[in-house]
Amino acid sequence: MRTALITGASQGLGLALATDLAADGWHVVGDARTATDLHRAVGSLGPGEVTAIPGDVADDGHRRALVAAAGSRLDLLVLNASSLGPTPLPLPPLADYDLDAFRRVLEVNTVAPLALVQQALPALRAARGRILALSSDAAVEGYPGWGGYGASKAALDQLARVLGAEEQAVRVYAVDPGDMRTGMHAAAFPGEDISDRPEPVTVVPGLRRLVDGDLPGGRYVAADLVAVGGAR
Protein backbone atom coordinates (compact mmCIF):
# COMPACT_ATOMS: atom_id res chain seq x y z
CA MET A 1 0.00 0.00 0.00
CA ARG A 2 1.35 3.41 -0.97
CA THR A 3 1.36 6.13 1.69
CA ALA A 4 0.66 9.85 1.30
CA LEU A 5 1.05 12.56 3.93
CA ILE A 6 -1.22 15.54 3.21
CA THR A 7 -1.30 18.70 5.30
CA GLY A 8 -4.55 20.64 5.41
CA ALA A 9 -6.62 17.55 4.65
CA SER A 10 -9.91 18.56 6.26
CA GLN A 11 -11.29 20.69 3.45
CA GLY A 12 -10.83 22.04 -0.04
CA LEU A 13 -8.17 20.58 -2.30
CA GLY A 14 -6.47 18.68 0.52
CA LEU A 15 -9.64 16.75 1.29
CA ALA A 16 -10.43 16.20 -2.39
CA LEU A 17 -6.99 14.67 -3.00
CA ALA A 18 -7.12 12.63 0.22
CA THR A 19 -10.51 11.23 -0.83
CA ASP A 20 -9.25 10.33 -4.29
CA LEU A 21 -6.09 8.63 -3.01
CA ALA A 22 -7.89 6.71 -0.28
CA ALA A 23 -10.43 5.44 -2.82
CA ASP A 24 -7.47 4.30 -4.93
CA GLY A 25 -6.06 2.18 -2.11
CA TRP A 26 -3.57 4.61 -0.59
CA HIS A 27 -2.94 4.99 3.11
CA VAL A 28 -3.40 8.71 3.75
CA VAL A 29 -1.96 10.50 6.77
CA GLY A 30 -3.76 13.84 7.04
CA ASP A 31 -3.78 16.78 9.37
CA ALA A 32 -5.73 19.94 10.11
CA ARG A 33 -5.62 22.42 12.96
CA THR A 34 -9.12 21.62 14.25
CA ALA A 35 -9.70 18.04 15.40
CA THR A 36 -13.48 18.16 14.97
CA ASP A 37 -13.22 19.35 11.38
CA LEU A 38 -10.54 16.81 10.53
CA HIS A 39 -12.30 13.78 11.97
CA ARG A 40 -15.63 14.83 10.43
CA ALA A 41 -13.98 15.27 7.04
CA VAL A 42 -12.12 11.99 6.89
CA GLY A 43 -14.57 9.89 8.88
CA SER A 44 -16.36 8.66 5.80
CA LEU A 45 -13.15 7.41 4.19
CA GLY A 46 -12.90 4.41 6.46
CA PRO A 47 -10.45 3.26 9.13
CA GLY A 48 -7.25 1.77 7.80
CA GLU A 49 -7.24 4.09 4.84
CA VAL A 50 -6.76 7.37 6.67
CA THR A 51 -4.78 8.34 9.76
CA ALA A 52 -6.04 11.70 11.04
CA ILE A 53 -3.71 13.69 13.28
CA PRO A 54 -5.00 17.14 14.28
CA GLY A 55 -2.48 19.87 14.98
CA ASP A 56 -0.69 22.95 13.73
CA VAL A 57 1.83 22.26 10.96
CA ALA A 58 3.96 25.07 12.39
CA ASP A 59 4.47 22.99 15.56
CA ASP A 60 7.57 20.78 15.48
CA GLY A 61 6.08 18.06 17.69
CA HIS A 62 3.04 17.80 15.43
CA ARG A 63 5.22 17.48 12.33
CA ARG A 64 7.19 14.67 13.95
CA ALA A 65 3.94 12.86 14.79
CA LEU A 66 2.85 13.09 11.15
CA VAL A 67 6.12 11.67 9.87
CA ALA A 68 6.08 8.88 12.46
CA ALA A 69 2.55 7.91 11.39
CA ALA A 70 3.66 7.68 7.77
CA GLY A 71 6.28 5.04 8.63
CA SER A 72 9.64 4.26 7.10
CA ARG A 73 8.52 4.62 3.47
CA LEU A 74 6.61 7.65 2.20
CA ASP A 75 5.50 7.75 -1.42
CA LEU A 76 3.99 11.24 -1.44
CA LEU A 77 4.25 14.38 0.70
CA VAL A 78 1.68 17.07 -0.14
CA LEU A 79 2.48 20.51 1.29
CA ASN A 80 -1.03 21.91 1.15
CA ALA A 81 -1.66 23.70 4.47
CA SER A 82 -1.42 27.46 4.02
CA SER A 83 -2.26 30.73 5.70
CA LEU A 84 -3.48 33.84 3.91
CA GLY A 85 -2.47 35.93 6.90
CA PRO A 86 -4.96 38.54 8.06
CA THR A 87 -8.15 38.58 6.01
CA PRO A 88 -9.95 39.86 4.05
CA LEU A 89 -7.52 40.53 1.25
CA PRO A 90 -6.14 42.65 -0.19
CA LEU A 91 -4.17 43.85 2.82
CA PRO A 92 -2.42 47.19 3.12
CA PRO A 93 0.55 47.53 0.76
CA LEU A 94 3.94 46.17 1.73
CA ALA A 95 4.96 49.64 2.86
CA ASP A 96 2.52 49.23 5.76
CA TYR A 97 2.40 45.42 6.11
CA ASP A 98 2.35 44.26 9.72
CA LEU A 99 5.67 42.46 10.20
CA ASP A 100 4.42 40.09 12.89
CA ALA A 101 1.69 38.95 10.49
CA PHE A 102 4.30 38.60 7.74
CA ARG A 103 6.49 36.39 9.94
CA ARG A 104 3.49 34.15 10.75
CA VAL A 105 2.62 33.72 7.07
CA LEU A 106 6.22 32.77 6.30
CA GLU A 107 6.27 30.38 9.27
CA VAL A 108 3.20 28.46 8.05
CA ASN A 109 3.70 28.65 4.28
CA THR A 110 7.48 28.41 3.98
CA VAL A 111 9.35 27.42 7.16
CA ALA A 112 6.96 24.67 8.26
CA PRO A 113 6.90 22.96 4.84
CA LEU A 114 10.71 22.91 4.72
CA ALA A 115 10.89 21.53 8.26
CA LEU A 116 8.38 18.80 7.35
CA VAL A 117 10.37 17.95 4.23
CA GLN A 118 13.56 17.66 6.28
CA GLN A 119 11.92 15.25 8.71
CA ALA A 120 10.24 13.20 5.96
CA LEU A 121 13.20 12.94 3.58
CA PRO A 122 14.56 9.59 4.85
CA ALA A 123 11.16 7.96 4.24
CA LEU A 124 10.74 9.76 0.91
CA ARG A 125 14.19 8.66 -0.26
CA ALA A 126 13.46 5.07 0.75
CA ALA A 127 10.35 5.05 -1.43
CA ARG A 128 11.83 7.24 -4.19
CA GLY A 129 8.79 9.34 -3.42
CA ARG A 130 7.41 12.66 -4.55
CA ILE A 131 6.81 16.05 -2.98
CA LEU A 132 3.89 18.17 -4.16
CA ALA A 133 4.02 21.80 -2.99
CA LEU A 134 0.75 23.72 -3.50
CA SER A 135 1.61 27.15 -4.86
CA SER A 136 -0.42 30.05 -6.25
CA ASP A 137 -0.44 32.51 -9.10
CA ALA A 138 0.28 35.08 -6.37
CA ALA A 139 3.80 33.59 -6.30
CA VAL A 140 4.55 34.91 -9.77
CA GLU A 141 2.19 37.91 -10.14
CA GLY A 142 2.41 41.25 -8.34
CA TYR A 143 -1.10 41.54 -6.94
CA PRO A 144 -1.37 44.66 -4.76
CA GLY A 145 -2.19 43.74 -1.17
CA TRP A 146 -1.11 40.10 -1.60
CA GLY A 147 2.56 40.71 -0.79
CA GLY A 148 2.82 38.51 2.31
CA TYR A 149 1.05 35.48 0.89
CA GLY A 150 2.64 35.94 -2.53
CA ALA A 151 6.16 36.20 -1.08
CA SER A 152 5.65 33.07 1.00
CA LYS A 153 4.47 31.09 -2.02
CA ALA A 154 7.30 32.41 -4.18
CA ALA A 155 9.72 31.19 -1.52
CA LEU A 156 7.97 27.81 -1.46
CA ASP A 157 8.35 27.59 -5.25
CA GLN A 158 12.07 28.20 -4.94
CA LEU A 159 12.40 25.64 -2.14
CA ALA A 160 10.75 23.10 -4.44
CA ARG A 161 13.05 24.05 -7.31
CA VAL A 162 16.24 23.69 -5.26
CA LEU A 163 15.07 20.52 -3.53
CA GLY A 164 14.43 19.01 -6.92
CA ALA A 165 18.03 19.74 -7.92
CA GLU A 166 19.49 18.50 -4.65
CA GLU A 167 17.45 15.34 -4.04
CA GLN A 168 18.05 12.90 -6.87
CA ALA A 169 15.95 10.15 -5.26
CA VAL A 170 12.88 12.35 -4.78
CA ARG A 171 10.82 14.07 -7.48
CA VAL A 172 9.66 17.54 -6.46
CA TYR A 173 6.77 19.51 -7.95
CA ALA A 174 5.24 22.91 -7.28
CA VAL A 175 1.76 23.36 -8.70
CA ASP A 176 -0.61 26.32 -8.99
CA PRO A 177 -4.11 24.86 -8.54
CA GLY A 178 -5.90 28.01 -9.76
CA ASP A 179 -8.97 29.64 -8.24
CA MET A 180 -11.31 27.18 -6.54
CA ARG A 181 -14.56 27.24 -4.57
CA THR A 182 -12.90 26.86 -1.17
CA GLY A 183 -13.11 28.24 2.32
CA MET A 184 -9.77 29.98 1.83
CA HIS A 185 -11.03 31.75 -1.27
CA ALA A 186 -14.18 32.80 0.56
CA ALA A 187 -12.06 34.10 3.45
CA ALA A 188 -10.00 36.17 1.05
CA PHE A 189 -13.08 37.74 -0.51
CA PRO A 190 -15.91 37.69 2.09
CA GLY A 191 -19.27 38.49 0.60
CA GLU A 192 -18.16 37.75 -2.94
CA ASP A 193 -20.13 35.20 -4.94
CA ILE A 194 -17.61 32.44 -5.73
CA SER A 195 -20.18 29.94 -7.02
CA ASP A 196 -18.65 30.23 -10.49
CA ARG A 197 -15.27 28.92 -9.26
CA PRO A 198 -14.55 25.24 -9.96
CA GLU A 199 -14.80 22.72 -7.16
CA PRO A 200 -11.47 21.43 -5.79
CA VAL A 201 -12.25 17.94 -7.06
CA THR A 202 -11.83 19.22 -10.64
CA VAL A 203 -8.15 19.91 -9.91
CA VAL A 204 -7.41 16.39 -8.63
CA PRO A 205 -6.91 14.77 -12.08
CA GLY A 206 -4.13 17.28 -12.76
CA LEU A 207 -2.46 16.50 -9.44
CA ARG A 208 -2.73 12.77 -10.13
CA ARG A 209 -0.70 13.27 -13.31
CA LEU A 210 2.11 14.48 -11.07
CA VAL A 211 1.55 11.73 -8.52
CA ASP A 212 1.26 8.83 -10.98
CA GLY A 213 2.89 10.02 -14.19
CA ASP A 214 6.45 10.50 -15.33
CA LEU A 215 6.55 14.28 -15.69
CA PRO A 216 9.87 15.84 -14.71
CA GLY A 217 10.07 17.83 -11.50
CA GLY A 218 9.26 21.53 -11.79
CA ARG A 219 6.44 24.06 -11.52
CA TYR A 220 3.10 23.34 -13.16
CA VAL A 221 -0.33 24.93 -13.51
CA ALA A 222 -3.07 22.42 -12.71
CA ALA A 223 -5.40 23.62 -15.48
CA ASP A 224 -2.69 22.84 -18.05
CA LEU A 225 -2.22 19.36 -16.63
CA VAL A 226 -5.95 18.64 -16.75
CA ALA A 227 -6.25 20.03 -20.29
CA VAL A 228 -3.44 17.78 -21.57
CA GLY A 229 -4.23 14.69 -19.56
CA GLY A 230 -8.01 14.85 -19.50
CA ALA A 231 -10.15 13.67 -16.61
CA ARG A 232 -9.37 10.19 -15.29
Side-chain angles (χ1 to χ4, degrees), residues 32 141 192 211 228:
E141 302 290 344
E192 181 177 314
V211 172
V228 172

Short mmCIF file of all heavy atoms in Angstrom, two decimals, residues 32 141 192 211 228:
data_model
loop_
_atom_site.label_atom_id
_atom_site.label_comp_id
_atom_site.label_asym_id
_atom_site.label_seq_id
_atom_site.Cartn_x
_atom_site.Cartn_y
_atom_site.Cartn_z
N ALA A 32 -5.04 18.66 10.15
CA ALA A 32 -5.73 19.94 10.11
C ALA A 32 -5.62 20.51 11.52
O ALA A 32 -5.40 19.77 12.48
CB ALA A 32 -7.19 19.79 9.71
N GLU A 141 2.81 36.65 -9.73
CA GLU A 141 2.19 37.91 -10.14
C GLU A 141 2.30 38.93 -9.01
O GLU A 141 2.39 38.56 -7.84
CB GLU A 141 0.70 37.69 -10.48
CG GLU A 141 0.45 36.68 -11.58
CD GLU A 141 0.90 37.19 -12.96
OE1 GLU A 141 1.13 38.42 -13.09
OE2 GLU A 141 1.04 36.35 -13.86
N GLU A 192 -18.19 37.90 -1.49
CA GLU A 192 -18.16 37.75 -2.94
C GLU A 192 -18.78 36.42 -3.34
O GLU A 192 -18.58 35.40 -2.67
CB GLU A 192 -16.71 37.81 -3.45
CG GLU A 192 -16.57 37.68 -4.95
CD GLU A 192 -15.14 37.83 -5.42
OE1 GLU A 192 -14.46 38.77 -4.93
OE2 GLU A 192 -14.68 37.02 -6.24
N VAL A 211 1.38 12.81 -9.49
CA VAL A 211 1.55 11.73 -8.52
C VAL A 211 1.86 10.40 -9.23
O VAL A 211 2.73 9.64 -8.78
CB VAL A 211 0.27 11.57 -7.67
CG1 VAL A 211 0.35 10.32 -6.79
CG2 VAL A 211 0.04 12.81 -6.83
N VAL A 228 -4.25 18.72 -20.78
CA VAL A 228 -3.44 17.78 -21.57
C VAL A 228 -3.81 16.35 -21.27
O VAL A 228 -3.95 15.52 -22.14
CB VAL A 228 -1.94 18.01 -21.28
CG1 VAL A 228 -1.09 16.92 -21.93
CG2 VAL A 228 -1.52 19.38 -21.80
#
